[in-house]
Amino acid sequence: MPHGTKMQRVLIHRCSTAGKSALKRSLAGCGTIESMPQPDLYDLVAYPGTVYPSTHPGNLAAIALLHELEAPPVESCRVLEIGCNEGQNLIPMACAIPTSEFLGIDLAAVPIARGQQRIRQLGLANIRLLQADLMDLSAEFGAFDYILIHGVYAWVPDPVRDRIFSLVSELLTPNGVAFVSYNALPGGHIRNLVGDILRQGNALSANPAEALQQGIELLRMLAASRPDGDPLGVFLKGELERLLKRDPNVVVHDELSSSHRPVSYTEFTAHAARHGLQPLDEATFPPPSDPLYHPQLSSVARTLSGGDPIAFEQALDTFRLRRYRETLLCRAGLPLSDTLSMRYLDRLSFACAAVPAGSAPGSRLFQHPRGGTIESRHPGTVALLECLIAAWPEAVPFVEAAEHVVSRGFAVDAKLIQQIFQLVVSQAIQLRSWRVPVSQYLEARPAASALARFDAASGADQTTTLLHTSFELSDPVIRSLVVHLDGTRDRGALLEALQAHHPEAPLASLAEGLEPSLQLLHRLGALQATEE
């Protein structure tokens, strides 16, 4: 799982010798500290950053509303990201929500400098990135409605973990939501085992690339040395395949790190409680493979937990060897609904990226772009899905969707609400708590977002949509098209621009591909609404 910069050296202050000595003494029980201070690994080996849709304040606010917590409005919120790397996750938020404020901090200087340069080039005035040690942060930055801490908690020593929660407690607004991702137990034991093998294999090399290669070779040798059908050999081969599919720089920072310390959900929530925080929910609802979908395992978990919701979640983690969590926290004492509630459905909008996929006896089929088929025999649900699909990439307010269902002759009853929640949990339907500024339809003079045009012009490998997802810019024609989608060109002018930049391509081919390319960008959410 990708992570933001983890500040492994966050406790080594760039301060006076006396201050460093005092710091060493204060960390006497936290593990060995080597020579002071060395270049941050994130300055030497870039961590490939990206966007994390589950961290978006729009997602956090929507989940809060489902639990009857009125989180601050996305259109006028303040967001803090701790461990922001170059701001790859935060900058797109600032671009899409210009009326909100964003602050990112990271210990590594080089990524922050790159992010600051990008902010200047984009001309953004609502975001700052600062090189800072979270141990030094105070309330001087003010309160924040949403605090994002992705890929930090499981990679730092106990004093830093404690400071993370004390900061959240100090800086979170009364109804604010904090996102904290962490590698979880018991699945985290598996990652530690693989990491131990990789580090054993690279003990003789100080060069990160060489160290990684040596570690992988040892893992490959151990996997091959096991007899055919041996369970440990099958496991090692599977882990090797997984590693080889990932970016090497990510593996250097994650698997080669000796500071990886996953925690159980029970430990995590107990730590949060000591700082006056309570769990709200997970930032991403469980996938269909989750044990919650298997009544027998769910029943066993409830019996073992004795009605304790924390123990119930931990039992489920144990059953599926869960490795990773994205837990949302809010202030303790706030009244929350234990189950998904319909109380604030009128403040939410629904979206669905699926497309019709035919019919089966007594049912309708829809194909989701992520893979998988949605099948419904409930006519009200079919009417709802057809409404949402027609509006994509825009979302439909629940009230309007309900009116559409009623106009088709179907009731918005408990059965339909149950079906909606099932589709939300299975991620077939998206929830939105704010109006994303995507184009409602493919306009005569389409405009890509300023961020997409900037990334395309600067040669970036990918860019971010207004839906806070990423898409590749590897196709040179698509890249050129995005650059010229500034809202001033109609189809003819766009074709002329493409022909000028790609004289080697047949005009007929460019003309034939223009409309499908525009349709693709529209469905991705890369085209913005323009003022009429």
Side-chain angles (χ1 to χ4, degrees):
M1 196 72 191
H3 298 273
T5 301
K6 303 175 194 67
M7 305 182 191
Q8 290 134 310
R9 307 182 190 277
V10 72
L11 294 178
I12 302 177
H13 294 266
R14 296 178 175 91
C15 56
S16 66
T17 302
K20 292 173 183 175
S21 298
L23 180 63
K24 286 183 180 181
R25 291 193 299 271
S26 71
L27 295 176
C30 299
T32 302
I33 294 183
E34 300 175 357
S35 59
M36 312 292 288
Q38 299 176 356
D40 194 286
L41 180 60
Y42 292 88
D43 290 337
L44 301 176
V45 180
Y47 193 100
T50 186
V51 293
Y52 305 105
S54 57
T55 69
H56 196 284
N59 178 57
L60 309 190
I63 294 175
L65 287 170
L66 286 181
H67 290 279
E68 300 186 1
L69 174 62
E70 296 185 77
V74 175
E75 295 85 352
S76 57
C77 66
R78 299 192 77 230
V79 180
L80 168 67
E81 183 171 19
I82 296 174
C84 66
N85 201 350
E86 299 180 21
Q88 299 99 323
N89 187 47
L90 208 59
I91 291 174
M93 295 181 193
C95 289
I97 321 174
T99 51
S100 291
E101 298 179 24
F102 300 85
L103 173 66
I105 68 164
D106 204 291
L107 186 65
V110 173
I112 287 293
R114 285 196 289 257
Q116 290 172 338
Q117 181 182 13
R118 191 178 184 207
I119 289 170
R120 288 191 297 270
Q121 292 170 326
L122 285 164
L124 299 175
N126 63 332
I127 179 172
R128 288 189 299 162
L129 301 184
L130 301 177
Q131 181 193 7
D133 187 330
L134 68 83
M135 301 298 286
D136 297 332
L137 290 186
S138 65
E140 64 181 286
F141 293 111
F144 293 90
D145 301 308
Y146 300 96
I147 299 178
L148 316 177
I149 310 163
H150 179 59
V152 178
Y153 188 85
W155 304 89
V156 291
D158 288 337
V160 186
R161 288 183 173 183
D162 207 55
R163 183 55 183 153
I164 287 173
F165 279 151
S166 67
L167 268 177
V168 172
S169 182
E170 293 168 16
L171 303 181
L172 194 64
T173 55
N175 276 26
V177 178
F179 169 105
V180 186
S181 71
Y182 53 100
N183 289 10
L185 294 174
H189 290 307
I190 297 174
R191 191 168 192 173
N192 277 347
L193 171 61
V194 174
D196 288 343
I197 294 173
L198 293 177
R199 288 189 296 274
Q200 182 72 27
N202 67 44
L204 299 180
S205 177
N207 179 280
E210 292 179 358
L212 174 59
Q213 188 58 41
Q214 291 171 4
I216 287 178
E217 288 306 315
L218 177 60
L219 181 60
R220 193 192 310 274
M221 183 182 71
L222 292 179
S225 69
R226 308 298 298 186
D228 289 342
D230 174 70
L232 181 56
V234 173
F235 161 75
L236 291 177
K237 289 176 183 177
E239 290 299 303
L240 177 62
E241 291 176 2
R242 182 182 66 84
L243 284 175
L244 293 177
K245 292 177 181 178
R246 296 172 61 201
D247 189 303
N249 283 11
V250 173
V251 180
V252 165
H253 284 288
D254 289 358
E255 269 71 15
L256 294 193
S257 171
S258 59
S259 62
H260 179 231
R261 299 185 311 120
V263 295
S264 68
Y265 183 69
T266 303
E267 293 173 308
F268 179 86
T269 52
H271 187 193
R274 293 196 293 272
H275 290 273
L277 303 168
Q278 65 174 326
L280 174 63
D281 202 334
E282 292 297 295
T284 304
F285 290 115
S289 59
D290 188 277
L292 283 169
Y293 285 79
H294 304 285
Q296 183 178 3
L297 287 179
S298 182
S299 177
V300 172
R302 293 190 186 281
T303 300
L304 293 175
S305 63
D308 183 337
I310 302 296
F312 174 68
E313 285 291 319
Q314 187 59 63
L316 292 176
D317 284 2
T318 301
F319 291 165
R320 64 178 175 179
L321 291 176
R322 187 165 185 166
R323 298 189 183 198
Y324 176 73
R325 272 187 173 269
E326 295 178 342
T327 301
L328 304 185
L329 301 171
C330 63
R331 293 197 175 278
L334 289 174
L336 302 175
S337 172
D338 293 336
T339 58
L340 300 184
S341 168
M342 60 180 294
R343 179 179 178 183
Y344 292 128
L345 280 184
D346 60 344
R347 301 190 190 181
L348 292 169
S349 296
F350 297 81
C352 183
V355 295
S359 302
S363 67
R364 287 289 305 277
L365 302 176
F366 303 90
Q367 184 69 37
H368 199 276
R370 295 180 182 176
T373 301
I374 306 168
E375 181 177 0
S376 179
R377 298 177 179 273
H378 187 269
T381 303
V382 171
L384 174 72
L385 288 173
E386 289 175 341
C387 173
L388 302 185
I389 288 171
W392 179 266
E394 275 210 318
V396 180
F398 174 74
V399 174
E400 292 182 17
E403 290 175 351
H404 174 82
V405 172
V406 171
S407 71
R408 297 287 298 274
F410 308 113
V412 181
D413 53 14
K415 177 66 174 178
L416 177 61
I417 298 299
Q418 180 185 25
Q419 293 262 319
I420 291 173
F421 280 152
Q422 288 176 349
L423 290 168
V424 168
V425 170
S426 65
Q427 302 177 29
I429 287 181
Q430 297 178 10
L431 287 177
R432 297 185 194 167
S433 58
W434 71 298
R435 185 165 185 177
V436 182
V438 291
S439 177
Q440 181 179 4
Y441 52 87
L442 193 49
E443 301 179 9
R445 289 178 170 80
S449 69
L451 178 63
R453 287 186 281 115
F454 172 83
D455 287 340
S458 61
D461 295 330
Q462 62 180 18
T463 189
T464 304
T465 72
L466 293 162
L467 301 177
H468 209 61
T469 57
S470 60
F471 72 93
E472 299 293 325
L473 292 168
S474 54
D475 186 312
V477 176
I478 291 289
R479 179 188 296 277
S480 297
L481 178 60
V482 172
V483 170
H484 290 92
L485 289 174
D486 59 3
T488 66
R489 295 176 172 87
D490 59 14
R491 301 300 195 276
L494 287 172
L495 187 58
E496 289 179 8
L498 290 179
Q499 186 179 21
H501 280 77
H502 300 280
E504 76 288 352
L507 178 59
S509 176
L510 292 174
E512 183 180 359
L514 178 58
E515 200 63 26
S517 297
L518 290 172
Q519 291 284 354
L520 172 64
L521 293 172
H522 178 247
R523 287 196 59 79
L524 287 173
L527 302 184
Q528 65 183 18
T530 57
E531 297 182 3
E532 297 182 0

